[in-house]
Amino acid sequence: MKHLDMKNDLPEGVLAQRDTGLYSVTPRMPLGNITPEQLSVINSVVQEFDLPGVRVTAGQRLKIQSIPEDKVRAVIDRLGAVGEFCKYYVQVCPGSASCRMGMQDSLDMGARLESRLNALDLPCKLKAGVSGCSMCCAESFVRDIGLVGKKHGWTVVFGGNAGKRVRKGDVLADNLPGDEALELIDAVLALYAEEGRKGERTARFVERVGIGAVRAGLSMD
Ligand code: SF4
């Protein structure tokens, strides 16, 4: 059986499930939130196309999976705006809005970060984690970009990865007000966009150039 050409035919955001002829799509769910209307669209797509259901991903999204090849485009059309592709996903914890441990408003910070990230064009995929306190429920130290809320502001972490070669991210700064934390993230991602190799995650980028060079590039020496 000839499957869809990965590079040329697949709509953005659709992934092949190995060589099974089945595909999956993960609709955008900003900050892990989903409205009743969006949920209703996803539910009707699953039922209309007789799909087995959805899976909750580690990144707080609902993955619609086991879509037969001949139904991929129809599923994408039916999802419409709900199936919008999200380039860079931000994982957040509930933060001070509803967690008694929360020191900072991670939901608001995550929303601000996500809108900035999705305007960028980076060398590789990027994951971010925004945690409202040092418990780090959004896994901020093993994300490309991490934010951790403290009593007096935000800790900014860069270059973490939870994959095959685990790397704990480096702390670039502590106790920054929200605006300054986002400005520092803009600056370090501009450096990564300029000097990172295509397909190189931030963890591998930091290992190659050294965190000292990253700090020097940010004039943090
Ligand atoms: S990181 Fe802290 S604020 Fe966020 S959910 Fe965990 S304990 Fe609560």
Side-chain angles (χ1 to χ4, degrees), residues 32-187:
N33 292 322
I34 187 162
T35 65
E37 293 77 21
Q38 291 167 327
L39 204 51
S40 176
V41 170
I42 291 172
N43 186 41
S44 35
V45 164
V46 168
Q47 294 198 31
E48 275 173 36
F49 292 90
D50 198 24
L51 303 176
V54 297
R55 200 181 100 70
V56 179
T57 72
Q60 304 176 322
R61 289 186 287 175
L62 295 180
K63 176 182 278 192
I64 303 170
Q65 54 189 5
S66 300
I67 308 168
E69 186 169 301
D70 59 356
K71 294 181 180 173
V72 169
R73 290 193 184 283
V75 165
I76 294 295
D77 289 347
R78 179 72 180 79
L79 283 170
V82 172
E84 182 188 347
F85 176 59
C86 180
K87 236 183 347 177
Y88 305 119
Y89 189 69
V90 179
Q91 181 180 348
V92 296
C93 80
S96 58
S98 59
C99 177
R100 66 186 174 83
M101 307 279 283
M103 294 284 180
Q104 298 289 338
D105 186 346
S106 49
L107 294 175
D108 174 68
M109 194 59 161
R112 295 173 70 193
L113 178 61
E114 197 207 40
S115 68
R116 289 163 104 103
L117 292 181
N118 278 294
L120 299 177
D121 195 12
L122 298 170
C124 193
K125 75 174 180 181
L126 178 140
K127 295 179 180 177
V130 183
S131 303
C133 81
S134 302
M135 296 298 284
C136 274
C137 295
E139 302 173 327
S140 308
F141 276 89
V142 286
R143 297 290 177 244
D144 298 272
I145 291 289
L147 283 164
V148 183
K150 304 268 181 68
K151 189 174 178 186
H152 299 294
W154 292 95
T155 295
V156 177
V157 181
F158 179 65
N161 192 291
K164 192 166 61 174
R165 285 164 57 197
V166 177
R167 183 174 194 280
K168 182 181 174 187
D170 292 285
V171 172
L172 294 181
D174 264 319
N175 297 322
L176 291 184
D179 288 345
E180 289 181 30
L182 291 170
E183 281 166 18
L184 177 56
I185 290 169
D186 286 346

